[in-house]
Amino acid sequence: MSSFSGLARATDPIDQNKATAMENVKIAAEKVQVFYGETHAIKDVSIDIRARTVTAFIGPSGCGKSTFLRCLNRMNDTIDICRVEGRIAIDNEDIYDPKVDPVQLRAKVGMVFQKPNPFPKSIYDNIAYGPRIHGLVRRKSELDDIVASSLQKAGLWEEVKDRLDSPGTGLSGGQQQRLCIARAIAVSPEVILMDEPCSALDPIATAKVEELIDELRENYTIVIVTHSMQQAARVSQRTAFFHLGNLVEVGDTQDIFTNPVDKRTQDYITGRFG
Amino acid sequence: MSEHTVSSYDEELSGIAGRIAEMGGLAESIVTDAVTALITQDLDLAQATIGRDHRLDDLMHDIEMRNVLVIARRQPMGQDLREIMAATRIANDLERVGDMAKNVAKRVIAIDSDLKSKTLAIGVEHMTELALAQLKAVLDAYTRKDAEEAVKVRERDAEIDAIYTSLFRELLTYMMEDPRNITQCAHLLFCAKNIERIGDHATNIAENVYYMVTGKRLLDDRPRMDETGVEDKENA
């Protein structure tokens, strides 16, 4: 028990971080290797990602964090020369099993990218697209509900409810990114992968997305790749540090940022790399 | 540790560490002068010592300001963050050491007569030597980032406590022997307590150095006893 226990409340970040420790493993990766042709991009990475927790992947450019993230919903399948070895299981089911349909997998494991990429359609259709193609709804009213609740969860509803027919591309950058998060939520995923979701946003839009991530944590398992260590420290409960394709260190975020074990982690987070 | 990619960050951190070192040196010298003034009843030296405490206050505020700026500018992480935290707290302790010494110097002026007992003077002097040795050792540990030395400093504090307790008893005896001794002895008692507190500040600094270097808190398993004779396990 920490010495803070006397003062601790349920919302105390120190306790909150510890609280996730006992919870279930959502994604288990074992000895994952990724090759791009001859290049060995991910080397023997094993990591457990906890359910309903935000896990941040940090590391210098080219360290493999985005590559590894993309393994988690088989986005690397679309790259011909890319080869993935090892085992990645979500809820104990191997996602690289030939029986698994990658399209279904990606409905379960949603993704948000660095640059907001709304479809060139209306705000409504951006959200409705996924539920439609996955056959999640029968009636228009059901679809309306999903659109509204997804936008509400993404904290965008109040800003767009009167103009659902206007194009998604007409929103500001921060709104577009929240639209993409709403779009990911619309198909009821269990895991949301975010690849530098705030790197194209201003500080206020970033804060809104971070607030959203914090709220989404209640219902989703979130993995976020970020170049901002302050962001990783703010939004995540677990942090994994990648370097040259290796997973160097993974632990509670508060430990990684105050007292990392590995010297490479220390050098990276304190700005001594190079 | 290797250098930061941004070299001005290194300069800011070393500037803070340099000021802690300056505070340490100054605090040692003020303590030495205050106790010398006490033993020799040198009122001029006592007065001069009182005046020098200001510089410690200024340095502490300077360090605080610099720490705030580094936090705002760099958002320090890991070892750097711990260094900033440690510097803030160590500066506080050193400023308090200065206050303790100033209080001793003020009592020199209040006593304004030769000390009645040679053995008392020797006792206070000996305790001061130990406290100063502790302060010096812990400041070296800070500069060298030596966690082991910090642990040793912390363990040695019991010696100072023991001397203080025996001085306390001796002073009580003198006061009981002759009520005319009470004024001087009461002042001396506070002087001794002040020096004992300097030892405690050295211990605090040792704990902060240990945290700064290792990222872990020293667990307190030392039973402590002061002149009250009551063991204090809770608030050691």
Side-chain angles (χ1 to χ4, degrees), chain A residues 67-84:
Chain A
T67 298
F68 185 71
L69 186 80
R70 295 162 63 91
C71 291
L72 302 179
N73 67 347
R74 291 182 54 175
M75 290 292 281
N76 289 328
D77 287 13
T78 57
I79 303 167
D80 286 340
I81 57 163
C82 181
R83 188 157 51 86
V84 179

Side-chain angles (χ1 to χ4, degrees), chain A residues 3 229-230 233 256-260 263 266-267 269-274, chain B residues 1-5 9 13 74-75 77-82 214-216:
Chain A
S3 55
M229 276 163 303
Q230 278 71 36
I256 298 281
F257 288 110
T258 61
N259 193 19
K263 184 169 184 306
Q266 173 84 265
D267 284 351
I269 62 163
T270 57
R272 289 178 164 89
F273 242 65
Chain B
M1 181 163 266
S2 57
E3 290 176 350
H4 286 96
T5 308
Y9 190 177
L13 287 179
R74 315 287 180 190
Q75 292 96 49
M77 294 276 195
Q79 167 86 37
D80 299 330
L81 180 57
R82 302 203 304 269
T214 66
K216 296 181 183 76

Side-chain angles (χ1 to χ4, degrees), chain B residues 45-65:
Chain B
L45 183 57
Q47 197 65 58
T49 308
I50 293 167
R52 284 171 71 202
D53 181 53
H54 275 302
R55 176 72 185 141
L56 276 179
D57 297 354
D58 293 346
L59 276 167
M60 183 189 72
H61 290 126
D62 184 45
I63 289 168
E64 267 177 13
M65 200 56 229

